[in-house]
């Protein structure tokens, strides 16, 4: 039996307009908004690299040039920091440019996540690959992507990250119909629905922004008609793979119960910054002391 290809490539769609964060995103890509002192997109690239995926393709669009600049060398800045003898900040600046082998392609027309993934076909070729969405930051202490790669190498096909949510939240996500397997954190996916009404949801398992996909997804995406919102939905293509294994299935889900930071919503973005800042060794102790005092004062005055 031939061994399955080793996964080495990650695709990060980053062509969205970030309208929920206007006016901050009028001239700055939403992926470059800082989460403490690093742009959100750097956390995502670091996660891919930690999982062994050092070949990263970013799907970009107009006004996304700062993404490329961030992962490129900045010789003037590096020279200025060297002259100052600021080795610590120099290392931080160089870290982003040394992370991975970065590639970029523009999506062009904003036709949805499925279309963005399809733009990766020439680069990915005929290998399984990972897709990481920048709105979901996964804590590095919870190696979700590594687990997904293990499951894909074991079962083949595609693997989707799932998270259990309340019925009131399910309309915000793609939702999976699932069947249990012998592994507690792995389910077989028999169907997918994009942002269903709670009454129509097949489960409480929501799709979050991590995928390990079989290359057959490209053939399905090429034939997928625009769906919800007039866009080509990745969920619709995965639904076809889940219901017809001959197309390139099966589709499994890894149920994630770890720490996830949602930066796609303004309130959750702020909560993500607070949580990550509290856990930092260099910032946490002083920040937690201030936060306890601030919250106590607000409760007293409120």
């Amino acid at each position: 039996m031939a061994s399955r290809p080793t996964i080495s490539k990650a695709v990060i769609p980053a062509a969205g307009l970030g309208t929920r964060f206007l006016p901050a995103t009028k001239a700055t890509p939403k992926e470059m908004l800082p989460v403490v002192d690093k742009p959100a997109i750097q956390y995502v690239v670091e996660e891919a690299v930690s999982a062994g995926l050092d070949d990263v393709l970013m799907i970009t669009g107009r006004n996304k040039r700062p993404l490329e600049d961030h992962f490129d060398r900045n010789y003037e800045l590096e020279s200025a920091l060297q002259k100052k003898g600021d080795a610590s900040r120099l290392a931080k600046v160089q870290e982003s440019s040394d992370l991975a082998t970065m590639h970029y392609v523009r999506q062009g027309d904003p036709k949805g996540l499925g279309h963005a993934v399809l733009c990766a076909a020439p680069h990915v070729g005929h290998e399984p690959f990972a897709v990481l969405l920048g709105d979901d930051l996964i804590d590095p202490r919870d190696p979700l992507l590594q687990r997904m790669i293990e499951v894909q190498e074991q079962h083949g096909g595609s693997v989707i990250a799932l998270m259990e949510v309340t019925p009131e939240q399910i309309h915000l996500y793609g939702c999976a119909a699932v069947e249990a397997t012998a592994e507690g954190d792995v389910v077989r996916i028999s169907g997918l629905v994009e942002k269903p009404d709670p009454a129509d949801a097949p489960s409480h398992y929501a799709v979050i922004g991590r995928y390990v996909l079989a290359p057959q997804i490209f053939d399905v995406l090429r034939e997928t008609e625009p769906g919800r919102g007039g866009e080509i939905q990745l969920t619709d293509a995965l639904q076809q793979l889940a219901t017809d294994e001959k197309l390139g299935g099966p589709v499994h889900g890894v149920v994630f119960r770890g720490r996830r930071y949602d930066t796609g919503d303004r309130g959750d973005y702020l909560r993500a910054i607070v949580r990550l800042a509290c856990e930092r060794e260099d910032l946490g102790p002083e920040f937690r002391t201030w936060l306890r005092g601030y919250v106590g004062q607000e409760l007293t005055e409120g």
Side-chain angles (χ1 to χ4, degrees), residues 13 16 35-36 41 77 87 91 117 120 126 135 143 174 232 240 247:
V35 180
V36 189
I41 193 68
L77 177 58
V117 171
H126 301 288
D135 288 347
I232 298 173
Q240 293 187 55
L247 294 175

Side-chain angles (χ1 to χ4, degrees), residues 1-268:
M1 179 178 175
S3 61
R4 295 191 177 94
T6 301
I7 299 172
S8 63
K9 294 178 180 177
V11 174
I12 302 177
L17 298 176
T19 52
R20 284 179 290 182
F21 283 85
L22 285 170
T25 50
K26 179 181 178 182
T28 301
K30 67 173 184 175
E31 297 84 4
M32 290 299 297
L33 295 178
V35 180
V36 189
D37 54 3
K38 282 194 299 191
I41 193 68
Q42 185 170 333
Y43 289 89
V44 180
V45 174
E46 288 173 350
E47 180 187 349
V49 172
S50 294
L53 313 181
D54 56 3
D55 185 324
V56 177
L57 174 68
M58 204 168 286
I59 312 298
T60 68
R62 293 184 62 220
N63 301 324
K64 297 287 185 168
R65 183 60 185 270
L67 293 170
E68 298 184 35
D69 290 341
H70 179 71
F71 291 101
D72 199 359
R73 298 291 298 273
N74 186 327
Y75 293 103
E76 294 84 356
L77 177 58
E78 291 177 27
S79 177
L81 292 172
Q82 280 181 328
K83 290 177 181 177
K84 290 182 178 180
D86 196 337
S88 176
R89 288 190 175 87
L90 177 61
K92 290 180 179 179
V93 167
Q94 292 175 333
E95 181 182 15
S96 59
S97 58
D98 295 337
L99 268 175
T101 302
M102 302 293 298
H103 309 271
Y104 305 90
V105 63
R106 286 197 175 193
Q107 183 179 5
D109 295 331
K111 297 179 181 178
L113 177 58
H115 180 260
V117 171
L118 186 55
C119 292
H123 181 78
V124 169
H126 301 288
E127 306 172 18
F129 63 104
V131 174
L132 298 86
L133 304 189
D135 288 347
D136 286 324
L137 304 188
I138 304 298
D139 195 293
R141 294 167 293 184
D142 300 311
L144 170 61
L145 191 55
Q146 289 96 317
R147 177 59 177 151
M148 294 174 68
I149 291 171
E150 290 173 4
V151 173
Q152 198 281 333
E153 290 175 342
Q154 180 182 355
H155 296 286
S158 298
V159 181
I160 303 172
L162 302 175
M163 179 183 68
E164 199 163 5
V165 301
T166 65
E168 295 76 23
Q169 293 176 306
I170 197 65
H171 72 282
L172 300 171
Y173 299 88
C175 179
V178 303
E179 302 167 1
T181 71
E183 298 174 270
D185 65 334
V186 179
V187 294
R188 181 75 170 266
I189 293 178
S190 57
L192 290 157
V193 183
E194 180 67 20
K195 297 182 178 179
D197 290 330
D200 300 326
S203 75
H204 296 161
Y205 287 108
V207 178
I208 59 175
R210 297 295 181 270
Y211 309 82
V212 178
L213 301 176
Q216 289 88 345
I217 192 73
F218 296 130
D219 294 329
V220 178
L221 283 168
R222 291 186 184 100
E223 303 299 324
T224 299
E225 296 294 326
R228 190 181 182 96
E231 298 181 335
I232 298 173
Q233 298 289 348
L234 180 60
T235 303
D236 292 343
L238 287 165
Q239 158 72 6
Q240 293 187 55
L241 290 181
T243 55
D244 187 353
E245 284 192 23
K246 292 181 290 186
L247 294 175
V251 180
H252 285 86
V254 170
V255 180
F256 182 62
R257 299 183 175 91
R259 288 156 285 201
R260 168 180 172 262
Y261 310 104
D262 183 356
T263 61
D265 171 84
R266 288 175 299 173
D268 285 337

